[in-house]
Amino acid sequence: MGKKNRVICGCLEKPEKFADFINGSLYEGRQVLLPHEVKNSPTVYTKEERTRDILRMVSGPSSSQG
């Protein structure tokens, strides 16, 4: 993992930052995903020899809005 990737991953580990990133990227800044709805997952996801080390689970009423 490169240095820049570690910095981004470290920042996105915080539920507030992750929710802000998702809301800004997918929902044009609307507050759809709230920080208390973001849960860390202890699982590392691997597919086709690529490892994803940020895996989040979302729960709550706003997870079905789009």
Side-chain angles (χ1 to χ4, degrees), residues 11-60:
C11 182
L12 292 178
E13 287 178 352
K14 301 171 186 158
E16 298 83 11
K17 299 292 183 185
F18 185 81
D20 283 345
F21 175 75
I22 295 300
N23 287 330
S25 299
L26 301 179
Y27 300 111
E28 299 176 344
R30 289 181 288 128
Q31 298 300 305
V32 175
L33 179 62
L34 302 175
H36 71 270
E37 297 172 335
V38 178
K39 307 293 181 212
N40 289 335
S41 176
T43 306
V44 174
Y45 174 72
T46 304
K47 182 177 181 179
E48 298 175 9
E49 299 181 23
R50 292 183 173 186
T51 300
R52 304 290 182 231
D53 53 0
I54 292 182
L55 187 61
R56 299 287 183 261
M57 297 182 333
V58 176
S59 63

